[in-house]
Amino acid sequence: MPRILMPFDESLANVAKEHLVSKGVEVRTGCGVTYVEGQDVTMQPSTPRTATAEQKAEAASKAKSEEVGALVWVAGIGARPLVKKLAKQLGQTDMRGLKVDETLKVEGTNDVYAIGDCALSGSPPTAQVAAQQGKHIGRALRDGIDSPFKYNHMGSLICLGSNNGMAQFPDSGKFNVWDAIGASNLGANANDQRGLTGLPAFVIWRSTYWTKLLSTSSRLSLASDWVKAKLHGRDVVEPVLKRAATLKAPVESFGT
């Protein structure tokens, strides 16, 4: 990817990058990890899906290896084996998920729906999309009427840590609360999107996260954890590994 946080406006992505750099993080874009062995990681310039063989060969020629102390792999999600098996049996060629039509019906089937991560609907595989798809299918089953699914993007939130966050929301224009809290205009059309950073965005992120929990006990438990961490800090456990030589047990021989 040419930059981090592609779903966000570039100005907000730059704010996140500056935040990471201020914490001592080296941000690298436009490169991908191709091989990991032991403490060595091999990286090379990333190429698009439509890259030619020559472009891939040129990127591979620029590969280099570096030694790392710890590797945290965050590579996104992939289709489950069952989803791949179903897609293959239906004659679909894209194994990332089940291709669906505008009503979320799986192509090549009758009255079989797919939503969320396992559906290739043209919408991003996010919880926000899956929640709206679930309600759409629920209404279709209740009313017995199929209708095209229309995704209504409510906005994007991210927590950057250290009481910092980012928020990007569509500006409805009906009640402009964004001006009141200092949200800036984003995008080519200044009235399309609003962006917010810092503590206000962090508060919105936490509030939204808290309200999305399903039970009162979960909300109370999370709220108490937040208060405890604020007053006493987070509980950090650093294991101390004490290694000892392994003694081989004597081998007894029983003749035949």
Side-chain angles (χ1 to χ4, degrees):
M1 293 187 294
R3 63 177 176 87
I4 63 173
L5 300 178
M6 291 296 291
F8 286 84
D9 186 80
E10 187 173 0
S11 61
L12 293 180
N14 290 334
V15 172
K17 181 179 178 180
E18 293 173 359
H19 174 80
L20 293 173
V21 172
S22 68
K23 300 296 182 181
V25 178
E26 180 184 352
V27 180
R28 300 184 186 182
T29 57
C31 67
V33 176
T34 59
Y35 190 73
V36 177
E37 182 178 10
Q39 293 183 324
D40 293 327
V41 175
T42 303
M43 296 173 288
Q44 70 178 44
S46 56
T47 56
R49 293 179 181 271
T50 56
T52 62
E54 291 77 9
Q55 291 174 329
K56 294 180 179 179
E58 181 181 0
S61 66
K62 298 179 181 179
K64 60 179 181 179
S65 298
E66 293 186 15
E67 185 178 354
V68 297
L71 177 67
V72 180
W73 187 259
V74 185
I77 59 176
R80 302 290 296 176
L82 176 61
V83 175
K84 293 181 179 180
K85 183 178 180 180
L86 291 174
K88 187 175 181 180
Q89 289 180 346
L90 292 172
Q92 298 186 7
T93 57
D94 196 336
M95 295 295 105
R96 294 179 300 158
L98 296 170
K99 191 174 181 180
V100 298
D101 59 17
E102 60 180 6
T103 65
L104 302 181
K105 279 187 177 181
V106 179
E107 294 186 359
T109 67
N110 294 322
D111 299 329
V112 177
Y113 301 89
I115 65 173
D117 299 341
C118 68
L120 296 179
S121 62
S123 299
T126 63
Q128 188 176 167
V129 173
Q132 294 185 28
Q133 289 177 335
K135 292 180 180 179
H136 178 83
I137 297 303
R139 297 188 188 100
L141 296 177
R142 180 194 63 190
D143 302 333
I145 300 175
D146 287 321
S147 60
F149 170 73
K150 295 181 180 180
Y151 171 56
N152 180 28
H153 185 62
M154 304 299 292
S156 301
L157 293 167
I158 188 171
C159 174
L160 299 176
S162 302
N163 296 335
N164 196 355
M166 294 194 317
Q168 181 172 324
F169 294 103
D171 188 359
S172 63
K174 297 179 181 179
F175 176 64
N176 203 342
V177 68
W178 304 119
D179 287 332
I181 60 178
S184 59
N185 295 320
L186 298 173
N189 187 345
N191 295 323
D192 283 345
Q193 299 286 322
R194 290 297 182 113
L196 191 66
T197 61
L199 182 60
F202 178 77
V203 172
I204 294 176
W205 177 84
R206 277 208 164 179
S207 302
T208 304
Y209 187 93
W210 189 81
T211 57
K212 293 301 180 180
L213 295 178
L214 299 179
S215 65
T216 302
S217 60
S218 297
R219 293 175 182 175
L220 292 176
S221 177
L222 180 60
S224 64
D225 287 343
W226 284 345
V227 173
K228 180 181 177 182
K230 188 65 177 179
L231 296 177
H232 305 289
R234 294 186 178 275
D235 292 331
V236 179
V237 179
E238 183 177 355
V240 178
L241 300 179
K242 296 182 178 180
R243 302 185 182 277
T246 302
L247 300 178
K248 294 184 178 180
V251 178
E252 297 183 4
S253 176
F254 303 91
T256 56

